Amino acid sequence: VKSLLLSAIFISTIVQAKTIQVKINEIQLLVSKNCKTSKCDAIKELKKMDLKVAQEMEQNLLGGKTLGEEICRKLFKVEIERHRDNQKNEQNYCHFKDKSFISTAEINKFIYDQIYPDRH
Amino acid sequence: VRNSLFLILLSSFTLSSFAKSCPNIRLDKNFPNNNPKNEAKYKTMQHAPVLNQSLGICYAYTATQMADAVRRKRQLERGKSTNIHISSPLFAAVNDWENWDENGVTLDNNGDLDFPVEGGFPCQTFNKLKEDKTCPRDKLEKFYTSKGYNEKQFFKKIYEVEEKFNKKRMELAIKYMKERELESIHEKYETKVDNTFVSQVSLGLPYESNSANNEYLEVQSCRAGYKNELYNDLQLIFNNLLPAKELFLSYFSLEMFDSPYNMNILFRFICPSKERIAINTKSECTDYKVSESHIPFFDSLTDEIIDQLEEDSLPVGISYCANVLKRGKNFKGIASSDITGHKYKQKDGKDDCGRHASIVIGSREKNGSCELLIRNSWGTSCSTYSNDFDCEQGNIWIPQDVLQNNLYRIHYL
């Protein structure tokens, strides 16, 4: 149990070490550390995203594909990388050309918090 | 007064006798500080990682996680320590070729790839894997990562190579027909002798035309087992199309790659039968729909899930409206949608369900209500989910009644 706990802390420390919290459209998001100024590609793309387009894309998702993945691939047109921790647990990240990144789940949060404001 | 009291007593007795218990079960690990005590006979999901699907193949993730849990259960029953074997969902999806979009890998109007394996049925995929065995995930991944691709890039490369291959094959077919003074046939079928025809003939397979057009009749005669001269001649030359095959050799170092289901063949070549692993169960995966009449009275689909967890210690597959996970406990995907076959749509025609498949790996009683633990395949982050639900690294506790409002099928062995 101790080793599991330690590895979990270790991984979260690594992720925390690589990410910072920013506020975009009043929503707290975790993005890569190189987004300290809002000039990184990840933030630029999020800010210019058309939520109506995102909502339409969600209507056509097949087979449990997530909106964050689809946005990353089709709107941002950048690659998705699958990160695995030492327990082989996975999380996908949207990686931009300037080496900034954001998890696909944070992209989901950014969209859903705006289009479903009463989702808690 | 006496009669009403009797009725109240009778109804409360009847309801309580039908009310289902809510055992505290976790197949992945114990509850924190073992409080409450874990009632699972076997922890068949212990050390099974939380996955993050990329393609829309949730059904394959569901099927492979169920298969891996069956294997772990067998090991636990024999008192062995469990190996963490992870089956490839991508192999499972491609292997279930009857589920494929018949057009194969194509481009949509925006030039983006459409993947023929997106959307499917967990039990169908599981039962196909039972016949063909699962492929270790590492095996398939090593193949495409060694060439610098992720799974989507791999599909794209297959598409590009296939396009080049088909183009080359068509050029050669027409050249051959002209050389053999078959111009009249070429002229007649110039627009009809397409890639599908060439591909089918090259394998000696019947030509499957979707058209009822009479002009196809002569070509379709091949279907009835009658192989005409053109068919035989073409087959001969296609079997020796080395220039085209070299295209594949240069990309994949493989020779077998020219059938209508070539991706399936490619995957089987990468992961041959002797390297695949059997799912050692006699049980078939069975679907139960929300409308199924055999479900006993007062026994909901979610009650069935709890029964299965308690009896078998195996994850139960669910097909459900995943929009509930994003939108919160008040979302009712089934109740607010029209049901047409597998499709759940709003009255204005827009899908407001978010059809998805996952596995349920636990249950618990919390504040007097029963909750089920969904192991999703959207990664370890909890950011996607509504704060109405407790989320632990991609596992979501959802009240039984909320899941019931969004559940349309369960899948179990």
Side-chain angles (χ1 to χ4, degrees):
Chain A
V1 175
K2 261 184 190 173
S3 65
L4 278 177
L5 198 66
L6 281 173
S7 68
I9 292 167
F10 176 67
I11 289 153
S12 74
T13 313
I14 291 173
V15 173
Q16 276 169 10
K18 288 180 177 174
T19 57
I20 50 161
Q21 245 187 9
V22 294
K23 216 172 196 180
I24 311 170
N25 297 358
E26 297 303 306
I27 297 161
Q28 292 276 6
L29 294 173
L30 281 173
V31 292
S32 57
K33 239 177 177 178
N34 63 347
C35 290
K36 265 185 185 167
T37 64
S38 60
K39 282 178 185 169
C40 76
D41 285 352
I43 292 181
K44 269 191 237 167
E45 292 288 352
L46 285 175
K47 279 185 173 170
K48 73 176 187 193
M49 187 200 301
D50 184 340
L51 285 175
K52 276 186 186 168
V53 173
Q55 220 165 345
E56 274 169 28
M57 285 172 90
E58 190 177 41
Q59 307 283 349
N60 300 315
L61 294 176
L62 268 178
K65 194 151 60 177
T66 68
L67 185 56
E69 295 264 339
E70 199 73 341
I71 296 280
C72 181
R73 199 166 65 86
K74 290 192 170 174
L75 269 189
F76 301 164
K77 297 190 187 299
V78 293
E79 285 303 324
I80 293 162
E81 279 185 27
R82 184 175 287 161
H83 289 207
R84 276 190 194 138
D85 65 20
N86 55 4
Q87 316 281 316
K88 297 188 178 175
N89 296 307
E90 300 176 342
Q91 182 58 53
N92 290 354
Y93 286 84
C94 196
H95 278 253
F96 295 85
K97 281 178 188 160
D98 67 347
K99 296 194 174 166
S100 60
F101 61 85
I102 181 169
S103 80
T104 53
E106 291 292 306
I107 300 173
N108 288 336
K109 183 186 177 195
F110 179 70
I111 299 164
Y112 295 142
D113 280 0
Q114 291 180 85
I115 60 178
Y116 309 124
D118 56 347
R119 80 180 190 120
H120 308 294
Chain B
V1 175
R2 197 179 285 170
N3 282 348
S4 359
L5 267 174
F6 174 73
L7 277 173
I8 291 166
L9 275 171
L10 181 71
S11 59
S12 62
F13 170 76
T14 314
L15 282 174
S16 64
S17 63
F18 278 108
K20 284 273 175 182
S21 65
C22 183
N24 293 305
I25 289 174
R26 281 193 81 141
L27 303 181
D28 58 339
K29 58 184 178 184
N30 287 336
F31 291 90
N33 305 319
N34 211 9
N35 184 25
K37 193 172 180 297
N38 192 353
E39 295 170 46
K41 283 181 210 156
Y42 299 108
K43 289 193 289 252
T44 54
M45 291 296 291
Q46 193 167 29
H47 307 310
V50 174
L51 306 174
N52 197 158
Q53 66 178 93
S54 202
L55 292 172
I57 54 171
C58 56
Y59 64 95
Y61 276 77
T62 300
T64 51
Q65 289 180 104
M66 286 169 72
D68 293 345
V70 169
R71 272 192 283 257
R72 261 181 239 118
K73 187 180 172 185
R74 294 285 170 268
Q75 290 171 339
L76 290 165
E77 282 172 338
R78 290 170 195 155
K80 291 181 181 173
S81 61
T82 53
N83 291 328
I84 299 305
H85 173 80
I86 304 170
S87 300
S88 166
L90 186 60
F91 178 88
V94 171
N95 185 57
D96 182 14
W97 54 265
E98 283 179 0
N99 182 50
W100 282 29
D101 183 328
E102 61 183 18
N103 295 320
V105 185
T106 53
L107 294 180
D108 67 14
N109 295 336
N110 301 320
D112 293 315
L113 276 182
D114 276 337
F115 300 97
V117 292
E118 292 188 320
F121 307 95
C123 271
Q124 183 183 307
T125 304
F126 181 95
N127 291 332
K128 188 85 173 74
L129 280 178
K130 224 185 110 186
E131 281 173 32
D132 299 334
K133 301 190 280 186
T134 65
C135 172
R137 185 178 69 171
D138 294 349
K139 176 82 188 158
L140 201 57
E141 278 186 359
K142 263 182 202 159
F143 179 81
Y144 59 75
T145 53
S146 69
K147 293 172 193 311
Y149 306 132
N150 61 30
E151 62 190 28
K152 279 182 175 166
Q153 291 163 336
F154 182 48
F155 266 81
K156 194 170 183 182
K157 183 53 73 179
I158 292 170
Y159 171 79
E160 286 168 3
V161 175
E162 199 171 51
E163 283 290 282
K164 280 185 191 172
F165 183 43
N166 283 337
K167 200 175 162 197
K168 188 79 186 169
R169 188 159 55 180
M170 277 303 284
E171 281 170 18
L172 288 166
I174 289 168
K175 184 170 171 259
Y176 172 81
M177 284 190 284
K178 283 186 173 170
E179 279 172 8
R180 299 290 175 96
E181 295 175 342
L182 292 166
E183 288 95 334
S184 58
I185 296 170
H186 168 57
E187 278 161 22
K188 187 172 178 185
Y189 293 111
E190 190 169 20
T191 57
K192 307 297 177 199
V193 180
D194 55 11
N195 280 332
T196 314
F197 172 72
V198 173
S199 171
Q200 298 281 76
V201 172
S202 69
L203 280 174
L205 294 172
Y207 178 54
E208 300 284 350
S209 167
N210 294 325
S211 167
N213 192 329
N214 284 338
E215 286 182 51
Y216 275 92
L217 278 177
E218 193 171 335
V219 177
Q220 282 185 322
S221 65
C222 302
R223 292 181 73 178
Y226 167 69
K227 292 182 180 180
N228 58 25
E229 191 186 351
L230 170 67
Y231 189 102
N232 288 332
D233 286 350
L234 286 175
Q235 212 181 337
L236 193 68
I237 194 124
F238 292 145
N239 286 339
N240 295 295
L241 289 185
L242 286 174
K245 282 192 176 174
E246 276 165 9
L247 281 171
F248 282 87
L249 287 169
S250 64
Y251 284 106
F252 298 114
S253 307
L254 292 170
E255 291 178 35
M256 273 179 70
F257 202 63
D258 61 352
S259 85
Y261 305 115
N262 42 20
M263 215 183 303
N264 181 289
I265 289 176
L266 174 69
F267 276 42
R268 281 162 173 267
F269 196 92
I270 300 165
C271 195
S273 183
K274 62 180 179 188
E275 293 183 34
R276 298 202 291 267
I277 302 172
I279 309 170
N280 40 1
T281 178
K282 286 178 183 168
S283 312
E284 289 278 303
C285 181
T286 312
D287 290 315
Y288 292 108
K289 293 180 202 167
V290 72
S291 56
E292 217 88 76
S293 57
H294 70 270
I295 300 287
F297 188 58
F298 274 19
D299 210 6
S300 67
L301 277 189
T302 46
D303 285 331
E304 289 284 317
I305 295 172
I306 294 167
D307 285 349
Q308 290 302 315
L309 288 173
E310 207 170 13
E311 284 168 24
D312 290 338
S313 297
L314 287 172
V316 178
I318 53 170
S319 291
Y320 65 114
C321 295
N323 284 355
V324 66
L325 302 178
K326 312 159 192 169
R327 312 252 287 261
K329 63 184 179 187
N330 295 325
F331 182 79
K332 293 179 180 176
I334 301 296
S336 63
S337 306
D338 283 343
I339 299 175
T340 318
H342 302 304
K343 297 188 174 179
Y344 294 78
K345 290 192 170 187
Q346 277 183 320
K347 282 175 183 164
D348 62 5
K350 286 179 184 169
D351 192 334
D352 196 27
C353 170
R355 276 162 281 154
H356 186 35
S358 302
I359 50 173
V360 175
I361 62 164
S363 60
R364 73 175 180 189
E365 198 170 335
K366 194 189 177 193
N367 302 330
S369 76
C370 193
E371 293 187 336
L372 296 169
L373 184 59
I374 294 179
R375 162 67 59 96
N376 203 3
S377 51
W378 292 349
T380 51
S381 170
C382 291
S383 300
T384 303
Y385 307 115
S386 161
N387 290 332
D388 283 352
F389 310 121
D390 290 346
C391 173
E392 302 171 12
Q393 270 219 318
N395 300 296
I396 310 103
W397 286 105
I398 183 167
Q400 186 180 356
D401 57 334
V402 177
L403 180 60
Q404 187 66 43
N405 285 333
N406 292 283
L407 184 68
Y408 52 92
R409 276 185 182 207
I410 62 173
H411 321 278
Y412 58 80
L413 306 180

